[in-house]
Amino acid sequence: MDSPESSPPASTSNASETAPVEDSPVFSYISNLSPLQPVKSSSVTQGFPGLNSPPLVFASPQLIPHKSRAQFSRTSFDKLQVRLEDSKNSVTTDKGHGEQNIQLNTSIAASTEKSSDSNSSVDELIQSPSGSCEQVLEDIVNVDSSDPNFSFDSTIKKSERNDQLANAPTCSTETVENFRHELNSGITGELAVTHPFTCKETEDAQTELILINASASEKAMGQGDEVSVNCSTVGTELPANNAVVYRSEDNFMTELQNAKTGQAAPLDQSSHLLTGSKAFQNRGVRRRCLQFENAQHNIISNRLAQDTSDGEKPKTRFLETPLMPIDGKLYPQNTLNSSIKLPKPSGFGLHLNSILNTVQAGSAATINVKTAQWDCVSATTDGNTHETHACASDGSSLSLATNVVEPDNNSVTLNSNSNQSILGNKRNTEKGSGLEGTNNLSPKKKRMNTTESDDGYKRCNCKRSKCLKLYCDCFAAGIYCADDCSCQECFNRPDYEETVIETRQKIESRDPFAFAPRVVQHIIEQSPSVSRGEDRSNFTPASARHKKGCKCKKSMCLKKYCECYQANVGCSDGCRCEGCKNVFGQKGEYGMAKVFLAGEDSQETTDDLSAEKCEIDASRSHTYHIEFVNPNNLTPLTPAFQFPNHEKDGSAAWFPSGKHFQSPESGLTYASPYAMSSASHNISANNAVIPESSKESRHGNGNTVDELSAARSRSSLVWQGSPITPMAEFSGSKVPQEDVFEFGLSNTVQDDTPEILKDSPTPLNTVKANSPNRKRVSPPHGQPHEHTSSSSADLRIARKFILKAVPSFPPLTPCIDSKTLAVQPDSSPENRDDNK
DNA sequence: GAGTTTGAAACT
DNA sequence: CAGTTTCAAACTC
């Protein structure tokens, strides 16, 4: 029917034109067969009309690994182009506004990529007689507003929609060419195009996208920036994934048009979105960059671009604004996390990697961390926003909620997101200025402020380290110092990006995991009821452990001197603390929990919490220990969930008892987290990874099933994005948190057993570690049982993504102790595959 | 706000 | 790997 071949060119209208061919019976036959209208016959012919690849288009961006983002070689683009073109072709023939929009974008992107070569794709568009680009754009806009339904998933669905779509407007050749030229001028266009897609799907993805955008924008100067901005804004503001995507695209299109016309384009829908989130986004970008080394380069370039472009850029550009180190976070840095987590990246966990380590962040994604909340998260690119959103929405989904344990970070960080964002902007300026405002506070407040910003981001007070050592929480979190930091001789600023990067590299050379989130979270799924908010008490947000463990001797792990305590996580066997009385979980408990999970001696361990006993148990279950106990292993996990901002919060897992850990597969589960973390490493960030909203997460726990389901779907999508970030590419330490986060989500999704979700909130369900390697999957917070049926579908989807993604992830260092290098092999993609 | 305590990071 | 020093946060007054 649709056979690509037949449909195409032959279309009836064309047939008349091609006299010779027409005559042939074959031709007529073909023409008859083709269902497609010959609107753009010529164009269609060129492409592969038969192939409907809209999905591919969406997918492709995601597939691109993080690293690739930074590098984003032409080859990758070419590939994308191919897909895009294919999709384009299909689209052009096809139809639908939404689709059309997408197609246009893709086509544009493709054209940009190819630049010279790309024309073909453009040409196709041009060929289409009917509409003008403007029309198309308008249509798109309409679609956006109109089509709420569009969702990330929609990307996949889009193909389906294509059928529905009809009357695709086409761009005039002139307009197309103009676009082409513009695009050629800046490669960014391509990137921008890709963004939207990713943005939709996941926060992490967004963060990544953001980075990409930034880079692109840098290159492109004007257009690209705007586009990226749009995406970010869209993500933040729009709950609906669909809307986001389209809008971003629309903006992009509009910008392009504007560029053509030379008019300052008012950003229609997108514009308003942008306004809200601009600052955040910028911040987010920067933070993330920090978190992600890869991103860093991008950031740098961005800066340059920004500097150059500042004057030029239109109102909408977020990028123009220097990426703030963010207090606010980028989410990933977020915000979500502050770096990822927003809140602040406390030193722990923030690390960029995660992206989103945490984030958002982004980054660092990362983010994020970082879903109902996802929506929120996704919506806000910045770490700050992320958090807030997450909180508000509750974080639904994700682990974020689980992560949250402690109120401290949560409350603080979450509340002031808006303010923070503002602060973040200030950061660009010199510190001094920023501090002033905060200083006015009372001593107590001052103190709080000194360490944390309202946003939840940490503020350092370094005097001698120049904020280039891990002593500096900001630096350790992979974020730039904010204006409100009280540091002296600070070099941890965008102005010294190179220095920062170099220093980071040095430190990483020493300890690849130095910037990895310190707290590894173990997410446990909530019971459905919990997810509903019915019974939170039962909810076990997540278990987390400090990656390296503490060495407290006098504080008994009851004060913030203790990193474990500070992160609201229990001490693990990896801790060398003396007299541990950590309220979040004592040393022995963790090991015991493991044992318990293992199913061996569970009673013993559970019964006796004494550290000694635990230790003993742990010793018994030697194997388990290795996987679970090893703090290092754990660390990897955290990144995923953690948000840059709050390591603590995000990481903060409740350990009501070691029991959480248990799962029949306990061993696996733990391990899995590990794996995840490792994956996260790849990311380097999520960051901010991950959006964490400690408090919010709690609230989020209560998320409605719908949210959860949505989160799942997102997660799955995110996951796809994760593949984009090639874990392998990253040096061990660098892992986009966001990715990690995603990974975790995906993992949860992955769990084959939707049943699990259905089942009790028991952690077991939530996590399944497939791989021997310990890859673990962090489940989305709560899985709404209600949706179980639907969820199952979601899960399926997620799995698909996961599978794809898994291979992509490079072995993450986290799995292995930093000290013991051996680990990485485990994280290798292969192992992951095994998990499947 | 100054000083002390604490433990991580950095160094040897 | 262990010991020491440096550093900055946490804490106390």
Side-chain angles (χ1 to χ4, degrees):
Chain A
M1 293 170 48
D2 291 350
S3 67
E5 300 156 355
S6 63
S7 61
S11 60
T12 58
S13 65
N14 290 348
S16 64
E17 295 177 356
T18 60
V21 174
E22 291 178 354
D23 294 348
S24 67
V26 174
F27 176 83
S28 62
Y29 173 76
I30 293 168
S31 62
N32 292 339
L33 293 177
S34 68
L36 299 177
Q37 293 299 326
V39 174
K40 304 171 184 177
S41 61
S42 63
S43 63
V44 171
T45 56
Q46 291 175 349
F48 296 83
L51 299 178
N52 219 359
S53 55
L56 292 178
V57 172
F58 292 94
S60 64
Q62 292 174 346
L63 294 179
I64 299 163
H66 289 286
K67 273 203 167 179
S68 56
R69 318 176 219 156
Q71 297 173 349
F72 231 67
S73 64
R74 280 225 167 209
T75 55
S76 62
F77 282 105
D78 292 346
K79 292 178 181 178
L80 292 175
Q81 280 184 333
V82 173
R83 292 182 181 176
L84 292 175
E85 289 180 355
D86 293 347
S87 64
K88 203 185 9 178
N89 294 339
S90 63
V91 171
T92 55
T93 56
D94 310 337
K95 24 305 198 138
H97 297 289
E99 299 263 337
Q100 290 175 346
N101 293 342
I102 294 166
Q103 291 174 345
L104 292 176
N105 293 339
T106 57
S107 65
I108 294 166
S111 64
T112 56
E113 291 174 354
K114 290 180 180 179
S115 67
S116 63
D117 294 348
S118 60
N119 296 345
S120 62
S121 62
V122 172
D123 293 347
E124 293 177 355
L125 294 176
I126 293 167
Q127 290 175 347
S128 65
S130 54
S132 64
C133 295
E134 291 80 354
Q135 290 176 346
V136 172
L137 293 175
E138 291 176 356
D139 293 347
I140 294 167
V141 172
N142 293 340
V143 171
D144 294 348
S145 61
S146 64
D147 270 354
N149 293 341
F150 247 51
S151 61
F152 308 159
D153 298 351
S154 65
T155 57
I156 295 168
K157 295 176 180 177
K158 287 180 180 179
S159 62
E160 295 177 357
R161 285 198 173 189
N162 291 342
D163 296 346
Q164 295 175 348
L165 298 178
N167 300 341
T170 59
C171 296
S172 65
T173 56
E174 292 177 354
T175 56
V176 172
E177 288 179 353
N178 292 339
F179 276 101
R180 206 188 297 161
H181 289 293
E182 292 177 354
L183 292 175
N184 292 342
S185 63
I187 293 169
T188 58
E190 296 175 354
L191 294 177
V193 172
T194 57
H195 282 302
F197 298 103
T198 38
C199 292
K200 293 177 183 177
E201 295 177 356
T202 61
E203 290 177 355
D204 292 348
Q206 289 179 346
T207 57
E208 291 175 356
L209 293 177
I210 293 166
L211 293 175
I212 294 167
N213 291 339
S215 63
S217 64
E218 292 174 355
K219 293 177 181 178
M221 300 286 298
Q223 296 173 345
D225 293 349
E226 290 176 356
V227 171
S228 65
V229 170
N230 290 341
C231 293
S232 64
T233 50
V234 171
T236 56
E237 293 185 0
L238 296 179
N241 297 338
N242 298 341
V244 171
V245 173
Y246 287 109
R247 289 181 182 177
S248 63
E249 291 178 354
D250 292 346
N251 293 342
F252 178 77
M253 296 295 293
T254 55
E255 289 178 356
L256 292 176
Q257 291 178 348
N258 293 340
K260 285 170 45 179
T261 59
Q263 296 174 347
L267 300 179
D268 298 346
Q269 295 173 344
S270 63
S271 64
H272 68 275
L273 295 176
L274 294 175
T275 57
S277 61
K278 287 179 181 179
F280 292 97
Q281 291 176 342
N282 291 341
R283 293 178 185 175
V285 172
R286 284 239 169 158
R287 284 232 168 181
R288 291 185 179 183
C289 292
L290 289 176
Q291 291 178 345
F292 303 90
E293 292 178 353
N294 293 344
Q296 288 176 345
H297 295 287
N298 294 341
I299 293 167
I300 294 168
S301 60
N302 291 339
R303 288 180 182 176
L304 296 175
Q306 290 176 348
D307 293 347
T308 57
S309 65
D310 290 349
E312 296 175 356
K313 293 184 178 179
K315 47 187 176 182
T316 56
R317 299 183 181 172
F318 296 71
L319 294 179
E320 287 178 357
T321 62
L323 303 178
M324 294 304 299
I326 326 177
D327 306 339
K329 27 231 42 298
L330 312 185
Y331 134 97
Q333 296 184 4
N334 168 15
T335 26
L336 291 185
N337 342 293
S338 42
S339 143
I340 311 173
K341 263 160 181 263
L342 329 189
K344 85 173 289 92
S346 46
F348 308 141
L350 289 186
H351 98 341
L352 318 184
N353 303 339
S354 56
I355 236 102
L356 324 115
N357 129 300
T358 349
V359 244
Q360 308 31 69
S363 28
T366 324
I367 133 220
N368 16 206
V369 168
K370 318 183 179 197
T371 328
Q373 309 255 337
W374 276 90
D375 294 347
C376 294
V377 173
S378 62
T380 60
T381 23
D382 287 7
N384 295 341
T385 29
H386 267 310
E387 288 181 353
T388 54
H389 288 289
C391 295
S393 51
D394 323 347
S396 58
S397 24
L398 302 180
S399 34
L400 295 181
T402 56
N403 293 345
V404 178
V405 174
E406 284 207 350
D408 298 350
N409 296 343
N410 297 341
S411 60
V412 174
T413 54
L414 297 177
N415 294 343
S416 61
N417 293 346
S418 62
N419 294 343
Q420 291 175 346
S421 63
I422 296 166
L423 293 177
N425 293 342
K426 289 178 181 179
R427 284 188 181 184
N428 291 343
T429 63
E430 297 210 353
K431 291 181 179 180
S433 62
L435 296 177
E436 306 156 10
T438 58
N439 290 343
N440 296 338
L441 302 178
S442 65
K444 279 188 177 180
K445 286 187 176 181
K446 244 186 176 180
R447 179 168 287 198
M448 288 186 64
N449 291 341
T450 57
T451 58
E452 293 182 2
S453 66
D454 294 347
D455 296 352
Y457 290 98
K458 279 195 175 181
R459 295 173 185 167
C460 68
N461 192 28
C462 306
K463 294 177 181 177
R464 294 187 177 184
S465 65
K466 297 179 181 179
C467 299
L468 290 178
K469 292 190 177 183
L470 294 175
Y471 295 125
C472 176
D473 285 345
C474 297
F475 180 80
I479 61 174
Y480 290 111
C481 290
D483 292 344
D484 51 353
C485 288
S486 300
C487 47
Q488 298 176 3
E489 298 181 23
C490 177
F491 282 86
N492 184 28
R493 300 177 65 187
D495 294 343
Y496 304 96
E497 191 169 3
E498 292 181 0
T499 302
V500 172
I501 294 170
E502 289 178 1
T503 303
R504 273 181 61 93
Q505 291 176 344
K506 276 186 182 179
I507 294 171
E508 286 180 346
S509 63
R510 228 187 295 152
D511 177 5
F513 299 95
F515 293 93
R518 297 184 184 176
V519 175
V520 175
Q521 287 183 344
H522 182 75
I523 295 170
I524 296 169
E525 286 184 359
Q526 295 176 345
S527 64
S529 64
V530 171
S531 61
R532 296 171 190 170
E534 292 176 357
D535 180 2
R536 286 190 181 180
S537 62
N538 292 342
F539 175 102
T540 58
S543 64
R545 297 286 154 169
H546 192 273
K547 129 179 122 174
K548 291 183 180 178
C550 65
K551 298 176 188 174
C552 306
K553 294 179 180 176
K554 296 182 179 179
S555 67
M556 295 188 290
C557 302
L558 290 174
K559 294 188 177 181
K560 282 193 167 184
Y561 294 123
C562 175
E563 289 193 354
C564 296
Y565 178 85
Q566 191 174 39
N568 297 329
V569 301
C571 290
S572 64
D573 292 349
C575 295
R576 296 183 214 169
C577 49
E578 298 176 359
C580 177
K581 294 182 181 178
N582 188 336
V583 296
F584 296 102
Q586 298 177 7
K587 208 176 183 182
E589 291 180 358
Y590 190 68
M592 292 179 69
K594 295 176 181 178
V595 172
F596 179 80
L597 294 176
E600 296 175 354
D601 300 347
S602 62
Q603 291 177 346
E604 292 177 355
T605 58
T606 58
D607 292 349
D608 186 356
L609 297 179
S610 66
E612 290 178 356
K613 207 172 186 181
C614 294
E615 290 177 353
I616 294 168
D617 292 345
S619 63
R620 290 180 183 177
S621 60
H622 187 61
T623 55
Y624 292 103
H625 281 291
I626 294 167
E627 293 177 354
F628 300 99
V629 174
N630 183 331
N632 293 338
N633 293 341
L634 296 177
T635 49
L637 296 178
T638 48
F641 298 89
Q642 283 183 336
F643 300 114
N645 298 355
H646 292 282
E647 290 173 357
K648 297 177 181 179
D649 294 352
S651 65
W654 293 346
F655 281 86
S657 64
K659 295 172 182 178
H660 293 289
F661 299 97
Q662 59 182 337
S663 68
E665 304 146 4
S666 63
L668 294 179
T669 56
Y670 279 103
S672 64
Y674 219 18
M676 291 189 61
S677 65
S678 64
S680 65
H681 271 296
N682 294 345
I683 295 165
S684 82
N686 341 227
N687 88 101
V689 102
I690 311 162
E692 78 186 269
S693 45
S694 58
K695 292 180 178 179
E696 294 171 355
S697 62
R698 291 178 182 173
H699 296 294
N701 291 347
N703 296 347
T704 61
V705 173
D706 294 346
E707 290 176 353
L708 293 176
S709 64
R712 291 179 187 172
S713 63
R714 289 181 182 179
S715 66
S716 64
L717 293 176
V718 172
W719 221 76
Q720 289 177 342
S722 65
I724 293 169
T725 63
M727 304 295 285
E729 290 176 356
F730 294 84
S731 60
S733 63
K734 302 172 181 177
V735 175
Q737 292 176 342
E738 294 174 355
D739 292 358
V740 172
F741 181 72
E742 291 176 355
F743 182 86
L745 294 177
S746 64
N747 288 348
T748 56
V749 171
Q750 283 178 341
D751 291 348
D752 295 347
T753 61
E755 300 169 353
I756 292 169
L757 295 178
K758 293 177 181 180
D759 291 351
S760 62
T762 61
L764 295 178
N765 294 344
T766 59
V767 175
K768 280 188 174 181
N770 301 345
S771 68
N773 294 344
R774 319 167 177 167
K775 302 192 170 176
R776 126 24 101 118
V777 175
S778 60
H781 296 322
Q783 293 177 345
H785 299 292
E786 295 174 355
H787 295 284
T788 326
S789 62
S790 66
S791 68
S792 65
D794 294 348
L795 292 176
R796 291 176 185 174
I797 295 167
R799 286 183 182 176
K800 291 177 182 178
F801 290 104
I802 292 167
L803 294 174
K804 292 176 182 179
V806 170
S808 66
F809 287 91
L812 298 181
T813 53
C815 296
I816 301 163
D817 290 346
S818 60
K819 292 178 181 178
T820 63
L821 298 179
V823 177
Q824 288 183 347
D826 293 349
S827 63
S828 68
E830 295 174 357
N831 292 342
R832 293 175 186 167
D833 292 4
D834 293 348
N835 291 344
K836 294 176 183 177

